[in-house]
Amino acid sequence: NVEAVALEHIRAKHGKLKVAIVDTDCHHGDGTEDIYWNDPDTLVISFHQDGRTLYPGTGDVHESGGPAAFGYNVNIPLPPQTGEEGFLYVLDNVVMPILDEYQPDLIINSAGQDNHYSDPITNMNFTAQGYAVLNDRLNPDIAVLEGGYSIEGALPYVNLGIILAMAGLDYSNVHEPDYNPAALRQSHRITDTVKRTCDQVINRWQNKEQLAQKAIGDKEFVKENKNVYYDTDGILSDQQKKFKVCPDCNGYSVIYSSSSQGHKICAINIPLEACSECVNTAYDLYEKSKKDKNYTNVYLQDRVKDEYFS
């Protein structure tokens, strides 16, 4: 949620902004996706190692966003051993065309560096030179360091490449001491898989209105279920998200969550620029839920007034 905290501070200070967050961390950007799932003013793009092969197991092509922002959540899962060729193909053929169409006021790069070939917990073959080229072409306004666990083999070189690219300086000689392009060459099988995935993603972007109509139709609410395992604390959470489909605003949302430790939570969110009907309904639900003894915790976030109740 690092980028979200910074972004909402910027919006509070400077007003409404159309923002794109491009997450290049090897792990799917599930936290950012969650926060902006139903916000069409925040385009979230994550390209990452396929969730079937790496934590947190999410980030499928079909994860597209809530009813008010369907299509504005873009996932590009990549096979293990994807190298420079694959990452830059995704950038040039999916990310940049989408950004050109979306025309954000601000681009934030979640600049994870764990796609590097020496990273001990991932399975990709990206390089410091590749990171520098990606950053140069993406040209973000802000880059935020995310994951990266090869402290000596990757981070000094990747960070240098990114900083030089952002400063507009020559990065062509940035290479790791053990850099061997022949050993890191991407296989034809991986190249074909990356291209097929990119074709699927760009097709979904171009047809997002039709896909949204099919997914939402005339529903009053859109409901989504998910399980989250917090491995550091050993907590399993079962969640149901409920989004109000409103013709006048993005609609309020509710998260019902129960944990393996016995907590049962009702969390209500009122989005920015919510209509009066959604605001009043959300407050009524909050007051009613506080009296419900089934819940151990009840929360309300009012983005309109910038207030939080628990």
Side-chain angles (χ1 to χ4, degrees), residues 5-251:
V5 172
L7 174 53
E8 294 316 307
H9 176 73
I10 292 169
R11 281 174 166 157
K13 189 173 182 180
H14 299 286
K16 186 174 180 178
L17 289 170
K18 199 175 179 184
V19 177
I21 299 176
V22 181
D23 191 322
T24 53
D25 189 275
C26 197
H27 302 85
H28 173 229
D30 57 333
T32 305
E33 174 180 280
D34 240 17
I35 293 166
Y36 292 112
W37 184 251
N38 205 41
D39 180 2
D41 290 321
T42 309
L43 170 68
V44 177
I45 302 175
S46 175
F47 49 115
H48 46 266
Q49 185 173 323
D50 194 315
R52 292 172 295 183
T53 66
L54 188 70
Y55 177 88
T58 52
D60 184 75
V61 168
H62 297 91
E63 295 175 26
S64 299
F70 193 93
Y72 293 94
N73 188 85
V74 180
N75 284 306
I76 309 116
L78 302 173
Q81 310 308 318
T82 299
E84 281 185 27
E85 180 184 347
F87 281 96
L88 298 179
Y89 184 91
V90 170
L91 182 73
D92 293 340
N93 293 276
V94 178
V95 177
M96 297 311 297
I98 289 176
L99 291 177
D100 288 343
E101 184 177 335
Y102 188 71
Q103 288 293 301
D105 301 308
L106 190 71
I107 297 175
I108 300 174
N109 177 209
S110 296
Q113 300 174 19
D114 46 1
N115 286 301
H116 194 265
Y117 63 83
S118 67
D119 198 276
I121 66 171
T122 62
N123 310 102
M124 296 304 223
N125 281 333
F126 211 24
T127 66
Q129 185 66 205
Y131 273 106
V133 173
L134 184 150
N135 191 277
D136 189 13
R137 294 181 189 175
L138 180 62
N139 191 26
D141 300 286
I142 300 169
V144 181
L145 175 62
E146 294 281 344
Y149 310 96
S150 177
I151 305 300
E152 296 180 356
L155 297 191
Y157 311 99
V158 176
N159 274 304
L160 177 60
I162 290 174
I163 291 169
L164 289 174
M166 292 191 75
L169 299 174
D170 178 29
Y171 53 78
S172 60
N173 291 315
V174 176
H175 293 294
E176 304 85 342
D178 63 346
Y179 175 67
N180 183 350
L184 298 170
R185 189 168 293 120
Q186 186 174 284
S187 72
H188 294 302
R189 179 184 57 82
I190 291 173
T191 298
D192 291 343
T193 301
V194 170
K195 288 182 177 180
R196 284 197 302 271
T197 301
C198 287
D199 289 344
Q200 186 180 6
V201 172
I202 205 71
N203 181 265
R204 289 183 64 83
W205 169 261
Q206 292 169 345
N207 294 283
K208 56 186 175 295
E209 287 81 12
Q210 298 94 308
L211 292 170
Q213 180 58 38
K214 184 177 179 180
I216 300 164
D218 57 357
K219 294 177 182 176
E220 182 181 2
F221 291 96
V222 170
K223 298 178 182 179
E224 298 168 357
N225 297 305
K226 69 186 297 186
N227 303 110
V228 181
Y229 181 66
Y230 299 94
D231 56 350
T232 51
D233 297 302
I235 298 172
L236 178 64
S237 170
D238 293 314
Q239 297 181 3
Q240 182 191 75
K241 292 186 176 182
K242 184 177 177 182
F243 298 91
K244 169 67 176 174
V245 180
C246 180
D248 301 315
C249 71
N250 290 348

